Amino acid sequence: MTLPSIREAASDLLNDYVERLDADRLEEWLDLFTEDATYTIIPRENVEQNLPAAIIWCPNKNVLRDRIVSLRNANEFNLHYDRHVVSNVRLRPHAENTWDLEANYAVFQTTMEGQTKLFSVGRYRDRIRLDGESLLFCKKYVVVDTFSVPTLLATPL
Amino acid sequence: MTLPSIREAASDLLNDYVERLDADRLEEWLDLFTEDATYTIIPRENVEQNLPAAIIWCPNKNVLRDRIVSLRNANEFNLHYDRHVVSNVRLRPHAENTWDLEANYAVFQTTMEGQTKLFSVGRYRDRIRLDGESLLFCKKYVVVDTFSVPTLLATPL
Amino acid sequence: MTLPSIREAASDLLNDYVERLDADRLEEWLDLFTEDATYTIIPRENVEQNLPAAIIWCPNKNVLRDRIVSLRNANEFNLHYDRHVVSNVRLRPHAENTWDLEANYAVFQTTMEGQTKLFSVGRYRDRIRLDGESLLFCKKYVVVDTFSVPTLLATPL
């Protein structure tokens, strides 16, 4: 792919990621990951101190898939709405057909009564790979500034 | 228009929209709509349940114009500042010279004492059209996650 | 530079600015300014009333450099994390090799206990200049909506 087209494809991938999460279309959200994709949510403090302890760590897509199934069983009814705002997208070549994709995010949650709160801010430090014709996440690495949120474990970021 | 130039023009239109709203230049903000433009603010819950009830519905630009005049008469002094943050802009062709434009937004309001609060988050699901040389909104459709805000009716989003 | 490449370079500059601030790499953040760069933080109310009173005003990079040194001495330990979300980036030619760069921003601060608050929203009204091979800020002009924040003086925006 040429550089302009990879930029657009990466932007589309990030938009798909956000749209599917915000719309609670988690099964389609899974389609954006390669089979060997890792998924990590880790506090910023641990990253900066080189501590490996993550809040969530899925070593491949099957584990992530199981997680979504559990989430569906635990939450029969979706009790809130999510809304992502993402900015400062940065794309850098990593290896052949592989790029590092970074961006800042803020996630807002709204109750069924229509009240909105800031839920989490942080930075995506992801890796994306051309898999056949599709650009997919092979590594999703979410560095969360916000971690004092009891419900954080339940919601993919 | 070629695809890169329509992307830039759409981005400029969205920037104009946000800048004029944030600066309370509502009369110039009206210039960004076609005469037959519809303007809707609707709760997300209603969209997802296929309920048509909107918070605000203007069937054409004249109705929207009247609304702005009323707003000016009701609020002689602007009692807050607005600030939009918009991300995940998505442009898709709809018909000849017409595109669907979607984006997530967060709006912050600041009092005259300089205190800022999150006011509303949601998603724009708009349609834009090439009208002569200008790209304009022919449909502004604001899906609001946040709706428990008493002053919501007064402020265009 | 051609228009597409200046757009990308400006986007990279803004990303560098945000990444270095958020990571508390203030000394490298200084590298993004020309020697004659001015740095201003001014309340929106003053801008709209044509009052010149700024919260912070540095007439050149040396003064800004001194400010960062003071900040380092005052805060031996960084007591919070910053996270910027920036949108609606607007680039306009100003003079040869000089462009006006505007954007909306929201800054979130997180305590060491992982609790996040909205810290400041406003608009960058900057000027950037091609300095040899590098694009740098020759004017950083931060119009803050939020100004009722006691710690505002300590943190570059």
Side-chain angles (χ1 to χ4, degrees):
Chain A
M1 278 195 178
T2 62
L3 192 62
S5 68
I6 183 66
R7 275 178 190 268
E8 275 188 32
S11 169
D12 284 347
L13 176 62
L14 199 53
N15 282 341
D16 282 336
Y17 183 94
V18 160
E19 287 174 28
R20 293 177 194 191
L21 270 190
D22 284 353
D24 197 35
R25 290 157 46 201
L26 300 179
E27 291 75 12
E28 292 170 66
W29 172 77
L30 283 171
D31 294 341
L32 304 176
F33 294 89
T34 63
E35 284 300 324
D36 63 347
T38 59
Y39 178 88
T40 310
I41 298 183
I42 186 165
R44 181 166 174 175
E45 205 175 0
N46 291 8
V47 173
E48 299 197 354
Q49 298 182 6
N50 279 316
L51 300 173
I55 299 173
I56 292 175
W57 186 66
C58 300
N60 58 56
K61 189 174 174 174
N62 267 333
V63 177
L64 189 56
R65 204 178 271 125
D66 285 350
R67 195 180 160 76
I68 297 303
V69 171
S70 307
L71 199 60
R72 286 295 188 209
N73 292 335
N75 301 297
E76 274 191 48
F77 305 96
N78 183 26
L79 298 172
H80 66 262
Y81 291 129
D82 284 332
R83 188 64 66 192
H84 286 67
V85 176
V86 174
S87 82
N88 301 97
V89 180
R90 179 83 87 162
L91 192 71
R92 290 186 179 97
H94 172 75
E96 205 190 340
N97 291 331
T98 314
W99 296 264
D100 287 325
L101 178 67
E102 299 204 3
N104 284 359
Y105 76 84
V107 179
F108 303 92
Q109 281 196 346
T110 303
T111 64
M112 291 299 111
E113 288 74 40
Q115 288 182 313
T116 304
K117 280 191 183 167
L118 176 63
F119 177 67
S120 174
V121 304
R123 188 165 176 85
Y124 294 137
R125 294 188 179 176
D126 305 335
R127 188 158 295 155
I128 61 178
R129 196 172 69 208
L130 202 56
D131 197 72
E133 298 287 296
S134 305
L135 197 60
L136 298 172
F137 289 101
C138 57
K139 176 178 152 190
K140 186 81 201 173
Y141 191 83
V142 187
V143 181
V144 291
D145 296 5
T146 319
F147 59 83
S148 68
V149 181
T151 55
L152 187 61
L153 289 167
T155 311
L157 290 169
Chain B
M1 279 193 175
T2 63
L3 192 63
S5 68
I6 183 65
R7 276 179 189 269
E8 275 188 33
S11 169
D12 284 347
L13 176 61
L14 199 54
N15 282 340
D16 283 334
Y17 183 94
V18 160
E19 287 174 29
R20 294 177 193 192
L21 270 191
D22 285 353
D24 197 36
R25 291 157 45 201
L26 300 179
E27 291 75 13
E28 292 170 67
W29 173 76
L30 283 170
D31 295 340
L32 304 176
F33 294 88
T34 62
E35 284 300 324
D36 63 346
T38 59
Y39 178 89
T40 309
I41 298 183
I42 187 166
R44 180 167 175 175
E45 204 175 0
N46 291 8
V47 173
E48 300 197 353
Q49 299 182 7
N50 279 315
L51 300 173
I55 299 173
I56 292 175
W57 186 67
C58 300
N60 58 57
K61 189 175 175 174
N62 268 333
V63 178
L64 189 57
R65 204 177 272 124
D66 287 349
R67 198 183 157 74
I68 297 304
V69 172
S70 308
L71 200 61
R72 287 292 188 212
N73 292 335
N75 302 299
E76 274 189 49
F77 305 97
N78 183 26
L79 298 173
H80 66 261
Y81 291 130
D82 284 331
R83 188 64 66 193
H84 286 67
V85 176
V86 173
S87 82
N88 302 97
V89 179
R90 178 83 86 163
L91 192 71
R92 291 187 178 98
H94 171 74
E96 205 190 339
N97 291 330
T98 314
W99 295 262
D100 287 325
L101 177 68
E102 300 204 4
N104 283 359
Y105 76 84
V107 178
F108 303 93
Q109 280 196 346
T110 303
T111 64
M112 292 300 111
E113 288 74 41
Q115 287 181 316
T116 303
K117 280 191 183 167
L118 177 63
F119 177 68
S120 173
V121 305
R123 187 166 178 85
Y124 294 137
R125 295 188 178 176
D126 306 335
R127 187 158 296 154
I128 61 178
R129 197 173 66 207
L130 203 56
D131 198 71
E133 297 287 297
S134 306
L135 198 60
L136 298 172
F137 289 100
C138 58
K139 176 179 152 190
K140 186 81 199 174
Y141 191 84
V142 187
V143 181
V144 291
D145 296 5
T146 318
F147 58 85
S148 66
V149 181
T151 56
L152 187 62
L153 290 167
T155 311
L157 291 169
Chain C
M1 279 193 178
T2 62
L3 192 62
S5 68
I6 183 64
R7 274 178 190 270
E8 274 188 32
S11 169
D12 284 348
L13 176 62
L14 199 52
N15 281 340
D16 282 335
Y17 183 93
V18 160
E19 287 173 28
R20 293 176 194 192
L21 270 191
D22 285 353
D24 196 36
R25 290 156 47 201
L26 300 179
E27 291 76 12
E28 292 170 67
W29 173 77
L30 284 170
D31 295 340
L32 304 176
F33 293 89
T34 62
E35 283 301 324
D36 64 347
T38 59
Y39 178 89
T40 310
I41 298 183
I42 186 165
R44 180 167 174 175
E45 205 174 1
N46 292 8
V47 173
E48 300 198 354
Q49 299 181 7
N50 279 316
L51 301 173
I55 299 173
I56 291 174
W57 187 65
C58 300
N60 59 56
K61 189 173 174 175
N62 267 334
V63 177
L64 189 57
R65 204 178 271 123
D66 285 351
R67 195 179 161 77
I68 297 303
V69 171
S70 307
L71 199 61
R72 286 293 189 213
N73 292 335
N75 300 299
E76 275 191 48
F77 305 96
N78 183 25
L79 298 173
H80 66 263
Y81 291 130
D82 284 332
R83 187 65 65 193
H84 287 67
V85 176
V86 174
S87 82
N88 302 97
V89 179
R90 178 83 86 164
L91 193 70
R92 290 186 179 96
H94 171 74
E96 205 189 340
N97 291 331
T98 314
W99 295 263
D100 287 325
L101 178 68
E102 300 205 4
N104 282 359
Y105 75 84
V107 178
F108 303 93
Q109 280 196 347
T110 303
T111 64
M112 292 299 112
E113 287 74 41
Q115 287 181 316
T116 304
K117 280 190 183 168
L118 176 63
F119 177 66
S120 174
V121 305
R123 187 166 177 87
Y124 295 137
R125 294 188 180 176
D126 307 334
R127 188 158 295 155
I128 60 178
R129 197 172 67 208
L130 202 56
D131 198 72
E133 298 287 297
S134 305
L135 198 61
L136 298 172
F137 289 101
C138 58
K139 176 179 152 191
K140 185 80 200 174
Y141 191 83
V142 187
V143 181
V144 291
D145 297 3
T146 318
F147 58 85
S148 66
V149 182
T151 55
L152 188 61
L153 289 167
T155 311
L157 291 169

Short mmCIF file of all heavy atoms in Angstrom, two decimals, chain A residues 3 7 44-45 48 85 87-90 92 104-106 108 118 121-123 143 145-148, chain C residues 8 12 14-16 18-19 22-23 81-86 108 110 112-118:
data_model
loop_
_atom_site.label_atom_id
_atom_site.label_comp_id
_atom_site.label_asym_id
_atom_site.label_seq_id
_atom_site.Cartn_x
_atom_site.Cartn_y
_atom_site.Cartn_z
N LEU A 3 1.66 5.23 1.03
CA LEU A 3 1.50 5.89 2.32
C LEU A 3 0.14 6.57 2.48
O LEU A 3 -0.52 6.38 3.51
CB LEU A 3 2.64 6.89 2.56
CG LEU A 3 2.72 7.41 3.99
CD1 LEU A 3 2.99 6.30 4.99
CD2 LEU A 3 3.77 8.49 4.12
N ARG A 7 -2.61 5.39 5.34
CA ARG A 7 -3.15 6.34 6.31
C ARG A 7 -4.67 6.30 6.35
O ARG A 7 -5.28 6.31 7.40
CB ARG A 7 -2.71 7.77 5.97
CG ARG A 7 -1.36 8.15 6.51
CD ARG A 7 -0.98 9.56 6.10
NE ARG A 7 0.40 9.84 6.42
CZ ARG A 7 0.82 10.39 7.56
NH1 ARG A 7 -0.06 10.72 8.49
NH2 ARG A 7 2.10 10.60 7.79
N ARG A 44 -1.05 3.50 33.31
CA ARG A 44 0.08 4.31 32.87
C ARG A 44 1.25 4.25 33.84
O ARG A 44 2.41 4.22 33.43
CB ARG A 44 -0.41 5.76 32.74
CG ARG A 44 0.63 6.72 32.26
CD ARG A 44 -0.03 8.01 31.86
NE ARG A 44 0.95 9.04 31.53
CZ ARG A 44 0.63 10.23 31.06
NH1 ARG A 44 -0.63 10.55 30.86
NH2 ARG A 44 1.57 11.12 30.77
N GLU A 45 0.93 4.23 35.12
CA GLU A 45 1.97 4.20 36.14
C GLU A 45 2.86 2.95 35.97
O GLU A 45 4.08 3.03 36.08
CB GLU A 45 1.32 4.20 37.53
CG GLU A 45 2.22 4.75 38.60
CD GLU A 45 1.51 4.86 39.95
OE1 GLU A 45 0.32 4.49 40.04
OE2 GLU A 45 2.17 5.29 40.91
N GLU A 48 5.21 3.36 32.99
CA GLU A 48 6.31 4.29 33.22
C GLU A 48 7.33 3.72 34.21
O GLU A 48 8.49 4.13 34.21
CB GLU A 48 5.76 5.65 33.69
CG GLU A 48 4.85 6.23 32.61
CD GLU A 48 4.55 7.70 32.74
OE1 GLU A 48 4.94 8.31 33.75
OE2 GLU A 48 3.91 8.24 31.82
N VAL A 85 -13.90 9.64 22.04
CA VAL A 85 -13.30 10.71 21.26
C VAL A 85 -11.81 10.40 21.16
O VAL A 85 -11.17 10.13 22.18
CB VAL A 85 -13.55 12.09 21.91
CG1 VAL A 85 -12.84 13.18 21.13
CG2 VAL A 85 -15.05 12.39 21.98
N SER A 87 -7.95 11.30 19.27
CA SER A 87 -7.22 12.34 18.53
C SER A 87 -5.74 12.06 18.49
O SER A 87 -5.26 11.10 19.10
CB SER A 87 -7.48 13.71 19.16
OG SER A 87 -6.63 13.92 20.27
N ASN A 88 -5.01 12.93 17.77
CA ASN A 88 -3.56 12.83 17.69
C ASN A 88 -3.11 11.44 17.22
O ASN A 88 -2.25 10.82 17.84
CB ASN A 88 -2.94 13.18 19.05
CG ASN A 88 -3.32 14.59 19.49
OD1 ASN A 88 -4.26 14.75 20.26
ND2 ASN A 88 -2.65 15.59 18.97
N VAL A 89 -3.71 11.02 16.14
CA VAL A 89 -3.40 9.71 15.57
C VAL A 89 -2.01 9.75 14.93
O VAL A 89 -1.70 10.67 14.16
CB VAL A 89 -4.45 9.29 14.53
CG1 VAL A 89 -4.12 7.94 13.93
CG2 VAL A 89 -5.84 9.28 15.15
N ARG A 90 -1.21 8.77 15.24
CA ARG A 90 0.18 8.73 14.76
C ARG A 90 0.44 7.35 14.18
O ARG A 90 0.23 6.33 14.84
CB ARG A 90 1.08 8.95 15.97
CG ARG A 90 2.53 8.91 15.66
CD ARG A 90 3.02 10.22 15.15
NE ARG A 90 3.40 11.10 16.25
CZ ARG A 90 4.18 12.16 16.08
NH1 ARG A 90 4.63 12.49 14.89
NH2 ARG A 90 4.46 12.93 17.09
N ARG A 92 3.30 4.88 12.26
CA ARG A 92 4.72 4.72 11.94
C ARG A 92 4.97 3.31 11.43
O ARG A 92 4.47 2.35 12.02
CB ARG A 92 5.59 4.93 13.19
CG ARG A 92 5.65 6.35 13.70
CD ARG A 92 6.67 6.42 14.83
NE ARG A 92 6.80 7.79 15.35
CZ ARG A 92 6.16 8.23 16.44
NH1 ARG A 92 5.37 7.44 17.12
NH2 ARG A 92 6.33 9.47 16.83
N ASN A 104 -4.46 9.35 21.32
CA ASN A 104 -5.07 9.66 22.62
C ASN A 104 -6.57 9.39 22.55
O ASN A 104 -7.19 9.57 21.50
CB ASN A 104 -4.83 11.12 23.00
CG ASN A 104 -3.42 11.38 23.49
OD1 ASN A 104 -2.61 10.47 23.58
ND2 ASN A 104 -3.12 12.63 23.82
N TYR A 105 -7.14 8.94 23.65
CA TYR A 105 -8.60 8.73 23.67
C TYR A 105 -9.21 9.27 24.96
O TYR A 105 -8.54 9.37 26.00
CB TYR A 105 -8.93 7.23 23.52
CG TYR A 105 -8.69 6.47 24.81
CD1 TYR A 105 -9.67 6.45 25.80
CD2 TYR A 105 -7.49 5.83 25.05
CE1 TYR A 105 -9.44 5.79 27.01
CE2 TYR A 105 -7.26 5.18 26.24
CZ TYR A 105 -8.23 5.16 27.23
OH TYR A 105 -7.99 4.53 28.41
N ALA A 106 -10.48 9.62 24.88
CA ALA A 106 -11.32 9.87 26.06
C ALA A 106 -12.61 9.09 25.82
O ALA A 106 -13.14 9.10 24.71
CB ALA A 106 -11.61 11.36 26.22
N PHE A 108 -16.51 8.50 27.26
CA PHE A 108 -17.58 9.01 28.10
C PHE A 108 -18.66 7.95 28.22
O PHE A 108 -18.97 7.27 27.24
CB PHE A 108 -18.16 10.29 27.49
CG PHE A 108 -17.13 11.36 27.27
CD1 PHE A 108 -16.46 11.47 26.06
CD2 PHE A 108 -16.79 12.24 28.29
CE1 PHE A 108 -15.49 12.45 25.86
CE2 PHE A 108 -15.82 13.22 28.10
CZ PHE A 108 -15.17 13.32 26.88
N LEU A 118 -17.29 11.41 32.38
CA LEU A 118 -16.00 11.00 31.85
C LEU A 118 -15.67 9.64 32.45
O LEU A 118 -15.71 9.48 33.67
CB LEU A 118 -14.95 12.04 32.26
CG LEU A 118 -13.50 11.74 31.88
CD1 LEU A 118 -13.33 11.69 30.37
CD2 LEU A 118 -12.58 12.80 32.48
N VAL A 121 -9.56 8.16 30.30
CA VAL A 121 -8.69 8.76 29.28
C VAL A 121 -7.37 7.98 29.27
O VAL A 121 -6.99 7.35 30.26
CB VAL A 121 -8.39 10.27 29.51
CG1 VAL A 121 -9.67 11.08 29.62
CG2 VAL A 121 -7.50 10.49 30.72
N GLY A 122 -6.70 8.03 28.13
CA GLY A 122 -5.44 7.31 28.01
C GLY A 122 -4.93 7.34 26.59
O GLY A 122 -5.29 8.24 25.82
N ARG A 123 -4.07 6.38 26.28
CA ARG A 123 -3.45 6.36 24.96
C ARG A 123 -3.42 4.93 24.40
O ARG A 123 -3.10 3.99 25.12
CB ARG A 123 -2.01 6.90 25.05
CG ARG A 123 -1.33 7.10 23.70
CD ARG A 123 -0.07 7.95 23.82
NE ARG A 123 0.64 8.09 22.57
CZ ARG A 123 0.37 9.01 21.64
NH1 ARG A 123 -0.59 9.87 21.84
NH2 ARG A 123 1.07 9.07 20.52
N VAL A 143 -3.05 2.08 27.27
CA VAL A 143 -2.45 2.64 28.49
C VAL A 143 -3.47 3.58 29.12
O VAL A 143 -3.79 4.63 28.55
CB VAL A 143 -1.15 3.40 28.17
CG1 VAL A 143 -0.52 3.96 29.44
CG2 VAL A 143 -0.17 2.49 27.44
N ASP A 145 -4.76 6.23 31.84
CA ASP A 145 -4.44 7.17 32.92
C ASP A 145 -5.40 6.91 34.08
O ASP A 145 -5.00 6.86 35.24
CB ASP A 145 -4.64 8.62 32.45
CG ASP A 145 -3.70 9.02 31.33
OD1 ASP A 145 -2.95 8.16 30.84
OD2 ASP A 145 -3.73 10.20 30.94
N THR A 146 -6.69 6.75 33.75
CA THR A 146 -7.75 6.54 34.72
C THR A 146 -7.82 5.07 35.09
O THR A 146 -7.98 4.23 34.21
CB THR A 146 -9.12 6.92 34.09
OG1 THR A 146 -8.96 8.11 33.31
CG2 THR A 146 -10.19 7.08 35.14
N PHE A 147 -7.70 4.76 36.38
CA PHE A 147 -7.85 3.34 36.72
C PHE A 147 -8.61 3.14 38.02
O PHE A 147 -8.78 2.00 38.46
CB PHE A 147 -6.48 2.64 36.77
CG PHE A 147 -5.54 3.24 37.75
CD1 PHE A 147 -5.59 2.88 39.09
CD2 PHE A 147 -4.59 4.16 37.36
CE1 PHE A 147 -4.71 3.43 39.99
CE2 PHE A 147 -3.71 4.73 38.26
CZ PHE A 147 -3.77 4.36 39.57
N SER A 148 -9.12 4.19 38.62
CA SER A 148 -9.85 4.04 39.88
C SER A 148 -11.34 3.84 39.60
O SER A 148 -12.19 4.41 40.25
CB SER A 148 -9.65 5.28 40.73
OG SER A 148 -10.27 6.39 40.13
N GLU C 8 0.70 17.42 6.56
CA GLU C 8 1.23 16.30 7.34
C GLU C 8 2.29 16.77 8.34
O GLU C 8 2.32 16.30 9.48
CB GLU C 8 1.85 15.25 6.42
CG GLU C 8 0.81 14.27 5.93
CD GLU C 8 1.43 13.12 5.16
OE1 GLU C 8 2.57 12.73 5.50
OE2 GLU C 8 0.79 12.62 4.23
N ASP C 12 2.10 16.43 12.32
CA ASP C 12 3.18 15.81 13.10
C ASP C 12 3.65 16.75 14.22
O ASP C 12 3.91 16.31 15.34
CB ASP C 12 4.38 15.49 12.20
CG ASP C 12 4.13 14.24 11.35
OD1 ASP C 12 3.16 13.52 11.63
OD2 ASP C 12 4.91 14.01 10.42
N LEU C 14 1.96 19.11 15.76
CA LEU C 14 0.93 19.15 16.80
C LEU C 14 0.94 17.85 17.62
O LEU C 14 0.79 17.88 18.86
CB LEU C 14 -0.43 19.36 16.13
CG LEU C 14 -1.59 19.87 16.97
CD1 LEU C 14 -1.24 21.13 17.74
CD2 LEU C 14 -2.81 20.11 16.08
N ASN C 15 1.16 16.73 16.95
CA ASN C 15 1.26 15.46 17.68
C ASN C 15 2.48 15.44 18.61
O ASN C 15 2.38 15.00 19.75
CB ASN C 15 1.33 14.28 16.70
CG ASN C 15 -0.04 13.93 16.15
OD1 ASN C 15 -1.07 14.29 16.72
ND2 ASN C 15 -0.05 13.24 15.02
N ASP C 16 3.62 15.93 18.10
CA ASP C 16 4.81 16.01 18.94
C ASP C 16 4.56 16.89 20.16
O ASP C 16 4.94 16.55 21.28
CB ASP C 16 5.99 16.61 18.15
CG ASP C 16 6.61 15.60 17.20
OD1 ASP C 16 6.50 14.39 17.47
OD2 ASP C 16 7.22 16.03 16.20
N VAL C 18 1.76 17.58 21.71
CA VAL C 18 0.87 16.91 22.67
C VAL C 18 1.57 15.75 23.36
O VAL C 18 1.49 15.59 24.59
CB VAL C 18 -0.40 16.45 21.92
CG1 VAL C 18 -1.14 15.36 22.69
CG2 VAL C 18 -1.33 17.64 21.66
N GLU C 19 2.30 14.96 22.58
CA GLU C 19 2.96 13.78 23.17
C GLU C 19 4.02 14.18 24.20
O GLU C 19 4.14 13.56 25.25
CB GLU C 19 3.60 12.92 22.07
CG GLU C 19 2.57 12.17 21.24
CD GLU C 19 3.17 11.44 20.04
OE1 GLU C 19 4.36 11.06 20.09
OE2 GLU C 19 2.45 11.27 19.04
N ASP C 22 2.21 15.61 27.34
CA ASP C 22 1.54 14.55 28.09
C ASP C 22 2.54 13.64 28.80
O ASP C 22 2.26 13.11 29.88
CB ASP C 22 0.65 13.71 27.17
CG ASP C 22 -0.65 14.42 26.78
OD1 ASP C 22 -0.91 15.51 27.34
OD2 ASP C 22 -1.39 13.91 25.93
N ALA C 23 3.71 13.45 28.18
CA ALA C 23 4.73 12.58 28.77
C ALA C 23 5.66 13.35 29.71
O ALA C 23 6.63 12.78 30.20
CB ALA C 23 5.54 11.90 27.67
N TYR C 81 -0.92 13.29 35.87
CA TYR C 81 -0.71 13.03 34.45
C TYR C 81 -1.63 13.92 33.63
O TYR C 81 -2.78 14.12 34.00
CB TYR C 81 -1.05 11.57 34.11
CG TYR C 81 -0.10 10.55 34.68
CD1 TYR C 81 -0.57 9.46 35.39
CD2 TYR C 81 1.27 10.66 34.47
CE1 TYR C 81 0.29 8.50 35.89
CE2 TYR C 81 2.14 9.70 34.97
CZ TYR C 81 1.65 8.63 35.68
OH TYR C 81 2.50 7.68 36.17
N ASP C 82 -1.12 14.42 32.52
CA ASP C 82 -1.94 15.19 31.57
C ASP C 82 -2.29 14.32 30.36
O ASP C 82 -1.52 13.45 29.96
CB ASP C 82 -1.16 16.40 31.04
CG ASP C 82 -1.09 17.53 32.06
OD1 ASP C 82 -2.00 17.64 32.89
OD2 ASP C 82 -0.10 18.29 32.01
N ARG C 83 -3.45 14.62 29.76
CA ARG C 83 -3.82 13.95 28.51
C ARG C 83 -4.59 14.95 27.67
O ARG C 83 -5.62 15.48 28.10
CB ARG C 83 -4.68 12.71 28.81
CG ARG C 83 -4.98 11.86 27.61
CD ARG C 83 -3.78 11.21 26.98
NE ARG C 83 -3.13 10.22 27.85
CZ ARG C 83 -1.93 9.70 27.62
NH1 ARG C 83 -1.23 10.08 26.56
NH2 ARG C 83 -1.40 8.83 28.44
N HIS C 84 -4.08 15.22 26.47
CA HIS C 84 -4.72 16.16 25.55
C HIS C 84 -5.59 15.43 24.54
O HIS C 84 -5.20 14.38 24.02
CB HIS C 84 -3.66 16.93 24.74
CG HIS C 84 -2.92 17.97 25.51
ND1 HIS C 84 -2.05 17.68 26.53
CD2 HIS C 84 -2.90 19.33 25.39
CE1 HIS C 84 -1.54 18.80 27.01
NE2 HIS C 84 -2.03 19.83 26.34
N VAL C 85 -6.73 16.01 24.24
CA VAL C 85 -7.49 15.62 23.07
C VAL C 85 -7.65 16.88 22.22
O VAL C 85 -8.07 17.92 22.73
CB VAL C 85 -8.86 15.02 23.45
CG1 VAL C 85 -9.68 14.71 22.22
CG2 VAL C 85 -8.68 13.75 24.28
N VAL C 86 -7.27 16.78 20.95
CA VAL C 86 -7.21 17.95 20.07
C VAL C 86 -8.02 17.66 18.81
O VAL C 86 -7.95 16.55 18.27
CB VAL C 86 -5.74 18.27 19.70
CG1 VAL C 86 -5.66 19.37 18.66
CG2 VAL C 86 -4.95 18.65 20.94
N PHE C 108 -7.18 16.69 30.13
CA PHE C 108 -7.65 15.96 31.31
C PHE C 108 -6.46 15.70 32.21
O PHE C 108 -5.37 15.40 31.74
CB PHE C 108 -8.29 14.64 30.88
CG PHE C 108 -9.43 14.82 29.91
CD1 PHE C 108 -9.22 14.77 28.55
CD2 PHE C 108 -10.71 15.09 30.37
CE1 PHE C 108 -10.26 14.96 27.64
CE2 PHE C 108 -11.76 15.27 29.49
CZ PHE C 108 -11.54 15.21 28.12
N THR C 110 -5.06 13.51 35.63
CA THR C 110 -5.30 12.32 36.44
C THR C 110 -4.36 12.33 37.64
O THR C 110 -3.15 12.57 37.49
CB THR C 110 -5.07 11.05 35.60
OG1 THR C 110 -5.93 11.10 34.46
CG2 THR C 110 -5.35 9.79 36.40
N MET C 112 -2.40 10.59 41.02
CA MET C 112 -1.66 9.35 41.19
C MET C 112 -2.57 8.22 41.69
O MET C 112 -2.21 7.05 41.66
CB MET C 112 -0.48 9.54 42.16
CG MET C 112 0.62 10.43 41.60
SD MET C 112 1.40 9.79 40.08
CE MET C 112 0.83 10.99 38.85
N GLU C 113 -3.78 8.59 42.16
CA GLU C 113 -4.75 7.57 42.58
C GLU C 113 -5.62 7.13 41.39
O GLU C 113 -6.58 6.36 41.56
CB GLU C 113 -5.66 8.11 43.69
CG GLU C 113 -4.98 8.23 45.05
CD GLU C 113 -4.01 9.40 45.08
OE1 GLU C 113 -4.35 10.48 44.55
OE2 GLU C 113 -2.90 9.23 45.61
N GLY C 114 -5.34 7.67 40.20
CA GLY C 114 -6.03 7.20 39.00
C GLY C 114 -7.38 7.86 38.76
O GLY C 114 -8.17 7.35 37.97
N GLN C 115 -7.61 8.99 39.43
CA GLN C 115 -8.87 9.70 39.20
C GLN C 115 -8.66 10.84 38.23
O GLN C 115 -7.76 11.66 38.40
CB GLN C 115 -9.43 10.21 40.53
CG GLN C 115 -9.98 9.07 41.38
CD GLN C 115 -10.57 9.56 42.69
OE1 GLN C 115 -9.97 10.39 43.35
NE2 GLN C 115 -11.73 9.04 43.05
N THR C 116 -9.54 10.91 37.22
CA THR C 116 -9.37 11.87 36.13
C THR C 116 -10.41 12.96 36.20
O THR C 116 -11.58 12.70 36.45
CB THR C 116 -9.48 11.14 34.78
OG1 THR C 116 -8.53 10.09 34.74
CG2 THR C 116 -9.24 12.10 33.63
N LYS C 117 -9.94 14.20 35.96
CA LYS C 117 -10.85 15.34 35.87
C LYS C 117 -10.56 16.15 34.61
O LYS C 117 -9.42 16.22 34.16
CB LYS C 117 -10.67 16.27 37.08
CG LYS C 117 -11.39 15.77 38.31
CD LYS C 117 -11.40 16.83 39.39
CE LYS C 117 -12.06 16.28 40.66
NZ LYS C 117 -11.86 17.14 41.83
N LEU C 118 -11.61 16.76 34.10
CA LEU C 118 -11.44 17.75 33.04
C LEU C 118 -10.66 18.92 33.62
O LEU C 118 -11.02 19.46 34.66
CB LEU C 118 -12.82 18.21 32.58
CG LEU C 118 -12.87 19.32 31.53
CD1 LEU C 118 -12.23 18.87 30.24
CD2 LEU C 118 -14.31 19.74 31.28
#
